[in-house]
Amino acid sequence: MSTEPTPNNTPVVKTHFQDLNLAPPLLKAIEDLGFEHCSPIQAESLPYSLAGHDVLGKAQTGTGKTAAFLIRVIDDLLKNPITEERYAGEARALIVAPTRELVIQIAEDAKLLTKYTDLKIHTLVGGMDYQKQQNRLHNEFVDILVATPGRMLDFRERQDVHLDTVELLVIDEADRMLDMGFIPQMRQIVRYTPRKTHRQTLMFSATFTEEVMRLSEQWMHEAKHIEIASESVTTDNVEQHVYMVAGDEKFTLLYNLLNTHGFDSTMVFANRRDECRKLHDYLKAYGIKSGLLSGEIDQNKRVKTLDAFKSGKISVLVATDVAGRGIHINDVSHVVNYTLPEEPEDYVHRIGRTGRAGSKGISVSFACEDDSFRLPAIEELVGRKIHSEVPPEELLTSLPEPLTPLPVQQRRGGSSRHGGGHRQDGHRSGGRGHSSYRR
Ligand code: AMP
């Protein structure tokens, strides 16, 4: 443990992974990831979970909750190797999460944390080759099984996998499981595992609703409840910039940053759906391969867009806060706040998309006459002053001709301005009064 001053000079105690008596191969993998100390959810939950208690944790994406439960699971599996006879398909740890994306992300994190071990991780999600997954289950031991509820049951019901050997059960994003109607399936899965006094159960949820509490009582044994403040999202790894610009310079600035400043994989956030759509259309017209994630895009299309972004087919993802929250993408090099969010918490969530897995990330916010007044509240939340810069003139003025005609923009409220903010007439224009559209 050590103490470090916070921005307002209140000392906080940091928990270091070296002090948790973790299995050495696990500790080494954590060091490789560059995690210097525990995030708040880790610091609060690990002392209980490592001691074998059930833990109900309130934490959102971006807080380090995945590593919080994975570290417990991996440490336990390493310290208690199976000495008696063992069969293929018998799972030791089961992690259930509501979406395919989340399961894949958890499994990827688990692979990084088990890289110095021979623990076997299996992923069961829809859309993946069933036969291949089945063959692996038949031929290999199953140390950690990560699955969505429906797929989990399919495999269990065909007897490809056995859950009566589960020592640790993790239920991630319990509130989303409820929202998505997965509780009946989850109930069945829990029934296949040993009694709650004979397994360790960890459950995480972004909110503690009455239903979540009720489920935790049913599924957990004398669980410790951990809550962390929502602003504890880890942003230490993000270099934050603010560019002071006029509203109609924003698109030119974005175009130039994307083209000349090594913005390899960038998420661009704007506040409203219509802004995002226009921005996406503009980027396309200027030959920048971008994808759109907003409430108006259906789920299938969103998954395709995410896959294209992850595989590098597109390098820019334009998103609203609602659509951008909860998505798991590693290695976003940059986050751009094309408009500053109305809620300071959204700023933290946005920039938390970069600087993940121990790497450094960069966030660039465009503050103009319409939204710079939101900066002080953001600075208060992140606990530091964010240095504002005036961007170099050439980034604000040079914009080539578009490759295809620009989308025709509809007039709204008497203004003929377009969401892209591209300077058409050389005048700086306002553009207030657009805050009531749905995200
Ligand atoms: P999660 O809340 O699980 O989605 O994690 C958010 C991000 O924080 C992930 O990219 C992790 O790699 C990263 N992370 C987790 N724990 C730590 C830590 N102790 N220090 C720095 N980054 C971390």
Side-chain angles (χ1 to χ4, degrees):
M1 299 250 200
S2 68
T3 46
E4 281 179 26
T6 53
N8 57 8
N9 285 330
T10 327
V12 286
V13 179
K14 304 249 185 211
T15 307
H16 290 275
F17 292 102
Q18 293 86 334
D19 301 332
L20 293 174
N21 193 25
L22 299 175
L26 171 59
L27 190 58
K28 192 157 180 267
I30 294 172
E31 280 165 4
D32 284 0
L33 285 171
F35 298 173
E36 283 167 17
H37 48 74
C38 290
S39 70
I41 187 70
Q42 294 160 0
E44 301 222 7
S45 66
L46 282 170
Y48 292 116
S49 63
L50 290 169
H53 291 284
D54 284 3
V55 171
L56 172 66
K58 182 172 164 184
Q60 295 167 330
T61 293
T63 52
K65 70 178 163 78
T66 314
F69 61 72
L70 285 176
I71 287 171
R72 163 55 186 163
V73 166
I74 296 164
D75 189 64
D76 190 53
L77 297 183
L78 291 175
K79 286 181 181 158
N80 300 290
I82 301 243
T83 45
E84 63 267 34
E85 204 170 6
R86 214 182 147 190
Y87 298 94
E90 290 181 344
R92 292 193 68 191
L94 169 63
I95 301 169
V96 190
T99 64
R100 175 178 189 259
E101 274 165 31
L102 194 53
V103 164
I104 291 171
Q105 178 67 41
I106 294 168
E108 279 171 8
D109 288 357
K111 277 180 199 134
L112 292 171
L113 288 167
T114 53
K115 71 181 199 191
Y116 297 113
T117 76
D118 48 18
L119 293 176
K120 296 273 185 286
I121 297 153
H122 294 247
T123 312
L124 305 181
V125 289
M128 267 168 122
D129 190 339
Y130 200 101
Q131 190 66 48
K132 217 164 129 193
Q133 202 55 60
Q134 195 178 35
N135 290 345
R136 255 197 95 204
L137 286 170
H138 289 177
N139 297 328
E140 284 182 8
F141 289 134
V142 184
D143 294 301
I144 301 176
L145 191 58
V146 196
T148 47
R151 260 297 154 120
M152 179 66 257
L153 282 180
D154 288 349
F155 278 94
R156 167 63 189 78
E157 273 149 23
R158 292 188 196 198
Q159 304 278 331
D160 291 324
V161 70
H162 305 280
L163 302 182
D164 52 348
T165 47
V166 162
E167 298 156 50
L168 300 118
L169 171 65
V170 179
I171 302 164
D172 195 17
E173 305 214 345
D175 48 349
R176 265 173 100 195
M177 296 257 198
L178 276 157
D179 291 346
M180 294 170 78
F182 284 144
I183 297 308
Q185 278 133 308
M186 203 52 236
R187 217 180 275 291
Q188 232 172 320
I189 293 170
V190 173
R191 239 180 267 137
Y192 284 129
T193 69
R195 292 202 296 280
K196 63 183 177 185
T197 45
H198 287 64
R199 60 165 200 257
Q200 183 179 12
T201 310
L202 309 176
M203 187 151 111
F204 287 82
S205 179
T207 51
F208 279 177
T209 58
E210 247 175 67
E211 286 113 314
V212 169
M213 301 310 279
R214 207 171 313 129
L215 291 177
S216 80
E217 266 165 42
Q218 288 171 16
W219 295 342
M220 305 174 89
H221 177 63
E222 296 174 0
K224 303 284 178 197
H225 294 186
I226 307 287
E227 286 190 46
I228 53 146
S230 61
E231 62 265 33
S232 306
V233 173
T234 53
T235 55
D236 293 358
N237 285 336
V238 186
E239 189 183 305
Q240 301 171 51
H241 298 269
V242 175
Y243 278 144
M244 303 307 274
V245 283
D248 59 1
E249 292 168 333
K250 284 186 176 183
F251 184 77
T252 309
L253 177 59
L254 177 66
Y255 175 87
N256 285 313
L257 287 174
L258 291 175
N259 267 318
T260 59
H261 280 60
F263 282 40
D264 305 327
S265 63
T266 305
M267 283 196 74
V268 181
F269 285 95
N271 293 0
R272 301 188 324 258
R273 289 177 184 186
D274 62 319
E275 270 176 337
C276 285
R277 189 183 343 108
K278 286 176 195 169
L279 195 48
H280 169 63
D281 289 343
Y282 262 68
L283 288 169
K284 276 198 308 195
Y286 279 91
I288 292 177
K289 294 194 176 83
S290 85
L292 179 62
L293 282 188
S294 83
E296 63 193 11
I297 309 292
D298 72 48
Q299 187 60 24
N300 277 347
K301 175 86 180 115
R302 285 195 216 181
V303 170
K304 282 198 189 123
T305 302
L306 275 178
D307 286 345
F309 186 69
K310 284 183 187 167
S311 67
K313 279 198 202 114
I314 56 176
S315 56
V316 180
L317 208 48
V318 182
T320 59
D321 292 296
V322 174
R325 195 166 302 161
I327 61 160
H328 295 268
I329 300 175
N330 271 336
D331 302 330
V332 175
S333 64
H334 294 73
V335 168
V336 174
N337 293 306
Y338 196 81
T339 42
L340 286 174
E342 287 167 25
E343 300 298 331
E345 285 79 12
D346 283 332
Y347 174 86
V348 176
H349 288 294
R350 289 177 180 186
I351 70 167
R353 306 283 105 209
T354 183
R356 292 160 81 85
S359 61
K360 279 274 173 219
I362 295 178
S363 81
V364 179
S365 303
F366 296 175
C368 72
E369 59 277 17
D370 295 327
D371 53 13
S372 55
F373 71 92
R374 297 189 182 128
L375 264 180
I378 290 171
E379 291 178 333
E380 193 178 322
L381 181 61
V382 297
R384 69 171 97 150
K385 180 116 186 81
I386 310 166
H387 178 62
S388 324
E389 300 156 53
V390 178
E393 186 65 15
E394 68 272 14
L395 295 185
L396 301 174
T397 47
S398 56
L399 187 65
E401 285 299 310
L403 303 180
T404 55
L406 292 175
V408 177
Q409 303 302 329
Q410 287 175 346
R411 282 175 161 262
R412 193 168 255 149
S415 158
S416 63
R417 287 191 66 239
H418 40 75
H422 161 54
R423 190 187 303 199
Q424 281 176 320
D425 54 10
H427 294 296
R428 294 185 172 195
S429 53
R432 291 166 201 277
H434 289 320
S435 60
S436 57
Y437 300 104
R438 292 187 59 203
R439 294 193 227 178

